Each structure stands twice: as C-alpha cells, then as structure tokens.
Amino acid sequence: MSVTAESVWNNCLSFIKDNIQPQAFKTWFEPIKPVKLSDNSLSVQVPSKFFYEWLEEHYVKLLKVSLTKELGENAKLVYIIRMENTYGNREPFTEKIPSSNRSTVSAQELDVPIKSKNPELRNPFVIPGIRNIKIESQLNPNYNFDNFLEGDSNRLARSAGMAVANKPGGTSFNPLLIFGGVGLGKTHLAHAIGVEIKDKYPERTVLYISAEKFTQQYIESVKKNTRNDFIHFYQLIDILIIDDVQFLSGKSGTQDVFFHIFNHLHQNGKQVILTSDKAPVDMQDIEQRLLSRFKWGLSAELQTPDYETRVSILKNKLYRDGVEMPEEIIDYVAKNIKSNIRELEGAVISLIAQSSFNKKEITIELAQQIVEKFVKNTKREVSIDYIQKVVSDYFEMDVSTLQSKTRKRHIVQARQLAMFFAKRFTKASLASIGSQIGKRDHATVLHACKTVDNLAETDKQFRKYIEDLTKKFS
Ligand code: ADP
Ligand code: MG
C-alpha cells in the first residue's frame, strides 16, 4: 500500500486521539487537512495563524511523537495557513509557515513567523528590508502608565487598563472601551496599555491606530482591490487599539469590515481596546451589531478630573519639564481650566513659553490672560447637540420643535441653520448630522447647507441670523 499524506496523517490522528481529550481532538485536530507528503515532510493545512500557534504551544510534543513514528527521526511538519476567503471573488491564498524546531524539524528556522507566498499581501505598516512581516506598533512611548496620574475621575479606566495590560485577551474586559470627553486622556491611556503590553510581552503584535486612519486604509484597499489583504493584515494583530471609534459613525463599509476583524480577533482570544468620545448607548450611526460587541467587555469612563487631580497633573508636568512655578499660579490654572487636561497642559506650556520669551516673570496677571484665551477656545469645540440648543434658543423654540417634521418655514430654516453650523463647526459626516438633527438623511443636510449659502447671499435678514449665530459658536 502506498504511503500518502492522508494515510500518514490518519495514522498520526489515531495515535493523537488516544492521547488527548475527545473535545480537544475535535477542536484542534479534526479541522486539520493533510495536503502533501514529500520524503519525510508532511504538509498540513490549518484554519488560521492562531490555530497554528495553539498547536505549537500545546501539542507540539504529541505531534512530534506521532509523526516520528510514521516518518522516522527526520520527520518534518509544515503548516499551511488557509486564510478564509469570505470577501470578494479573489482567489484564496495560502501562507506557509515552517514548523518550529521544537516540533519535528531538525534544523528549521522559525524566526520567520509569517512568510507570505502571495506577493500581494500588503501590510500597511510594512518596513522595507525586513524579511518577515514586522508590524510596527505605532505606539508613543511618552504616553505610559507612569505619567498617567491616577485620580477619582480615571480610577476605573486606569485599573481596567492595567488589568488588560497584565493579561491581554485574558480578562473579561474584551473589548475594553475607554470613553470620555475631549482632552481627558483617552489616547494617552490607550497608548499606555499598548506600551505596557509591549514591555511585558515583547513577542506580541500590538497595533495602535486611529479610527480615521483605519478608515482611510480601508477605503484605499477597496480602491486598489486589496480588501482581503487589509482584513488579513488586521487579523494578524494580537492587541488591536483603535482610537476614536466615533469616527466610524455613518461609515457603514468600514463598520462592516471592522465587525469582521473584531469577531475574528475576539474569537481567537486577542485583545481589542477602543476609545470613543461617547458611551456606546450614546453613539450615533454605529450599527447595532457593532454596538452590541462594544458592550461585551467593559466600558470605562474618563471623567473630568477633580481639582486635586488637576493640581497633581500640573505639578507632575512641571516637574518632568524641570520648571518651577509658584503655587498660587498652579492653583489659579487648576481652578480655572476644569474640563480638559490637554488645555490644562497647554495653558502651562504657554505660560512657560510667554515668560521665557518676553523674559517676564510668571505672574497671576499673565496666568489670567493665558487662561482666558484657553477657556475661550474651549467653547469652540461645539457638539451637534450644543448647536441645536443654541439655534433653538435663538429662534425661541424647543429642540424638539426644531427637529420635528413640520414644514413651517421658520422652523425649517432654523433646522437648516443647525445643519449648516453642524457642518461648519463639527467633523461629523452629513449622514451623522442628519440623523442627529431630526433623523434626516445626508441629502437633506446637503440641501440645507446649499439653501443656507444661497439665502446668505440673497436675504439680508437671513445673513443677520448667520452672523449672530456664528458669534455664539466662536
Ligand atoms: P483625549 O484622547 O481624551 O482627547 P489625550 O489622551 O490626548 O486626550 O490627553 C490630553 C493630554 O492630557 C495629553 O497630553 C495627556 O498626556 C494628558 N493627560 C490626560 N490624562 C492624564 C492623566 N491622568 N495624567 C497625566 N496626563 C494626562
Ligand atoms: Mg484622543
């Protein structure tokens, strides 16, 4: 009887089956397909990279013994990872992974973790000249736990972040969603978790990316017809950190692709960390199925810091920069900038810059001027809710009236103005603006913006509205 890949593998299987739990056999060995036998080397196909890693980690001895029995001392095992081809019509492709030397291999190199046979596998972060695909984490080492000061406002999020960093993928905080307003430390904390993981587990692949960049890469991949590669790339990540997921609102294609990547990572015990400016319940234009995933793990809020925390953040910053500043000035800044840590830091940096630039002493007066500028700037970060409120107040109506379906001219105009300002002062998409202002579609918003532009040119009274309202937002 001739020896084939099937026959060799079947013999291995019956040996393996006798030596492990039936459930484990079913899970880890039944899906393996023998593909090729040449000399003493057996190639088998496994469903994913994760699968391969699991086998190597847990069953390498068993595989070695069984294969040696069949093929002798020099037996080799070669894994072929089959990537699921669930998208598009392109040919599925395979990746070869040489088996580890811990396994049946005598002198195989396994420091090439993944070597694609497909020249088209595009890694958006590829580093030329390096043979294996190396994924740069894109982490900022300056954002770490040491300089992320703890306070009541961030204690839960910070400790959840620590727990995740200690055991990525191994806690119930998966995904970990960090949410909170602008400048409260979401990006800092997200990096800190990644930096800590890299430190503890250098071999794991960590990737930090903003949702905006993720979206751009995705759009690019669709244009270039490399959507599969995009997906496969992200499925290789062990710890995926996506910053500002609210950016995905209204972008259904990107949400869809993220949904698939998320599921793959989650199922394979990989860690996902997300940040957002809103809690999942308040997110607009994010598909329900994605929102429900976000809620699987833990949503931890970063709240506005209390006075003590603001003071200690300021002092820490000054200390690290080697700058001394009178207590009363620190106190003044901490008392007056309350809702945004970035601005707290910004004010101090301006103070230092101003005083050294003009060779002025740092005085309370200087601090007042600078703080005033910052506090004023804060108002500029307007939300769509705020815009609707201001416009409704201006026209003396309720927000619900402004949003209502009525065709009454003055209400329609108020609504159109709200849409116009939302377009002008926020980064929200037309679709997102529409759905937040009375559940309209993006075409309605576009029409509103054009109408306002037209009326501004032809109607003096209307121009006055725009001027008045613009002042309120700047
Ligand atoms: P967000 O992403 O929420 O808008 P960032 O993470 O960019 O906010 O934080 C804004 C600034 O505030 C950063 O310079 C960050 O280092 C600093 N910061 C935020 N939280 C803390 C904290 N707990 N301790 C020290 N610095 C902080
Ligand atoms: Mg941020």
Side-chain angles (χ1 to χ4, degrees):
M1 201 191 111
S2 71
V3 180
T4 63
E6 283 76 31
S7 73
V8 169
W9 183 241
N10 280 337
N11 291 344
C12 288
L13 280 185
S14 55
F15 175 80
I16 292 167
K17 197 171 188 169
D18 288 341
N19 285 284
I20 62 171
Q21 297 291 327
Q23 188 55 45
F25 181 81
K26 221 172 135 70
T27 310
W28 299 109
F29 291 92
E30 280 185 4
I32 301 175
K33 290 200 182 76
V35 177
K36 201 175 92 186
L37 182 69
S38 53
D39 299 329
N40 45 17
S41 160
L42 175 70
S43 304
V44 294
Q45 190 181 68
V46 296
S48 68
K49 171 171 174 260
F50 172 76
F51 213 95
Y52 143 77
E53 288 171 349
W54 187 274
L55 289 170
E56 286 281 293
E57 206 174 311
H58 296 89
Y59 300 109
V60 72
K61 280 210 189 102
L62 195 58
L63 281 163
K64 187 183 170 103
V65 174
S66 67
L67 208 64
T68 313
K69 265 167 52 120
E70 295 304 307
L71 298 175
E73 274 305 312
N74 294 324
K76 281 186 192 168
L77 183 63
V78 175
Y79 297 94
I80 297 171
I81 297 184
R82 199 199 142 94
M83 295 289 192
E84 315 86 270
N85 184 46
T86 29
Y87 306 97
N89 309 320
R90 298 184 43 223
E91 284 289 293
F93 61 81
T94 55
E95 291 190 9
K96 236 178 207 175
I97 294 197
S99 155
S100 123
N101 48 8
R102 288 173 292 138
S103 155
T104 48
V105 185
S106 38
Q108 273 271 21
E109 8 121 47
L110 189 83
D111 35 20
V112 189
I114 287 214
K115 200 164 161 257
S116 170
K117 273 179 73 181
N118 185 324
E120 275 194 303
L121 176 70
R122 281 213 188 80
N123 169 352
F125 297 103
V126 78
I127 302 159
I130 295 180
R131 218 164 116 246
N132 55 345
I133 294 174
K134 187 154 188 276
I135 296 167
E136 273 285 299
S137 66
Q138 318 289 317
L139 289 166
N140 179 351
N142 297 324
Y143 283 156
N144 50 50
F145 274 115
D146 288 342
N147 60 23
F148 189 82
L149 299 195
E150 185 172 341
D152 288 343
S153 55
N154 63 32
R155 191 160 289 120
L156 171 70
R158 191 176 188 278
S159 46
M162 291 274 225
V164 164
N166 285 328
K167 254 181 122 193
T171 67
S172 52
F173 309 153
N174 197 10
L176 174 64
L177 175 79
I178 302 160
F179 70 95
V182 182
L184 292 183
K186 300 181 295 292
T187 298
H188 186 142
L189 182 55
H191 277 280
I193 299 169
V195 168
E196 186 78 11
I197 294 175
K198 260 311 209 205
D199 196 48
K200 286 208 163 80
Y201 306 95
E203 76 290 354
R204 305 241 182 134
T205 311
V206 180
L207 181 70
Y208 167 90
I209 187 159
S210 66
E212 186 169 5
K213 199 156 169 202
F214 179 85
T215 305
Q216 285 165 3
Q217 285 181 355
Y218 171 67
I219 292 170
E220 193 74 354
S221 82
V222 171
K223 272 196 212 140
K224 293 196 177 141
N225 208 12
T226 55
R227 189 174 185 266
N228 288 347
D229 295 341
F230 174 86
I231 293 164
H232 295 152
F233 171 79
Y234 276 94
Q235 289 180 342
L236 295 174
I237 311 291
D238 296 320
I239 291 96
L240 180 61
I241 305 170
I242 302 203
D243 203 359
D244 290 322
V245 288
Q246 76 276 1
F247 187 83
L248 300 182
S249 62
K251 303 189 172 63
S252 56
T254 315
Q255 284 182 36
D256 182 58
V257 85
F258 178 59
F259 179 76
H260 289 286
I261 291 167
F262 177 92
N263 285 342
H264 180 96
L265 295 178
H266 196 272
Q267 272 160 22
N268 290 317
K270 308 297 166 121
Q271 179 72 45
V272 178
I273 297 153
L274 309 166
T275 80
S276 163
D277 68 353
K278 290 189 195 70
V281 282
D282 298 323
M283 287 186 201
Q284 304 266 357
D285 295 309
I286 302 271
E287 280 179 49
Q288 208 46 51
R289 57 180 184 159
L290 208 49
L291 284 182
S292 88
R293 296 298 189 276
F294 291 174
K295 293 178 200 153
W296 277 359
L298 176 75
S299 303
E301 182 171 11
L302 288 176
Q303 292 162 331
T304 49
D306 52 27
Y307 171 74
E308 280 75 29
T309 313
R310 300 202 294 275
V311 170
S312 53
I313 289 174
L314 282 181
K315 286 192 172 162
N316 184 264
K317 169 110 191 97
L318 291 167
Y319 174 77
R320 276 184 289 125
D321 292 351
V323 175
E324 282 187 32
M325 196 173 282
E327 283 283 333
E328 57 165 348
I329 308 259
I330 296 176
D331 183 69
Y332 181 82
V333 175
K335 280 210 173 103
N336 287 283
I337 300 186
K338 296 179 191 156
S339 57
N340 185 323
I341 298 172
R342 187 178 300 132
E343 290 184 352
L344 202 60
E345 288 187 343
V348 166
I349 293 167
S350 304
L351 261 176
I352 298 168
Q354 284 279 341
S355 79
S356 60
F357 211 61
N358 306 323
K359 303 226 168 5
K360 272 197 225 162
E361 232 187 285
I362 301 182
T363 59
I364 277 283
E365 287 72 40
L366 187 60
Q368 277 167 350
Q369 284 170 22
I370 285 172
V371 163
E372 199 182 317
K373 244 176 41 202
F374 269 91
V375 173
K376 236 188 179 166
N377 277 343
T378 318
K379 285 204 201 118
R380 211 165 272 155
E381 271 156 6
V382 291
S383 67
I384 295 180
D385 287 345
Y386 180 73
I387 290 171
Q388 295 187 78
K389 175 99 185 46
V390 170
V391 174
S392 309
D393 285 353
Y394 181 79
F395 290 110
E396 294 171 350
M397 60 179 75
D398 294 332
V399 174
S400 59
T401 310
L402 177 129
Q403 293 183 338
S404 68
K405 300 278 178 224
T406 175
R407 309 283 320 152
K408 282 192 191 127
R409 194 176 132 86
H410 72 288
I411 297 173
V412 173
Q413 283 194 346
R415 188 161 57 234
Q416 290 178 328
L417 277 163
M419 290 173 174
F420 169 84
F421 284 113
K423 181 82 194 86
R424 184 152 145 202
F425 290 120
T426 75
K427 287 187 196 139
S429 66
L430 293 175
S432 168
I433 293 171
S435 88
Q436 291 181 64
I437 305 183
K439 299 218 177 336
R440 307 305 209 276
D441 63 11
H442 82 281
T444 308
V445 180
L446 196 61
H447 176 71
C449 294
K450 283 189 188 145
T451 309
V452 172
D453 280 336
N454 288 338
L455 286 173
E457 279 178 25
T458 53
D459 182 332
K460 209 163 148 227
Q461 177 61 50
F462 202 80
R463 194 151 56 230
K464 175 91 170 56
Y465 294 157
I466 298 177
E467 277 162 18
D468 287 352
L469 284 164
T470 304
K471 279 195 203 115
K472 292 186 192 287
F473 297 122
S474 351

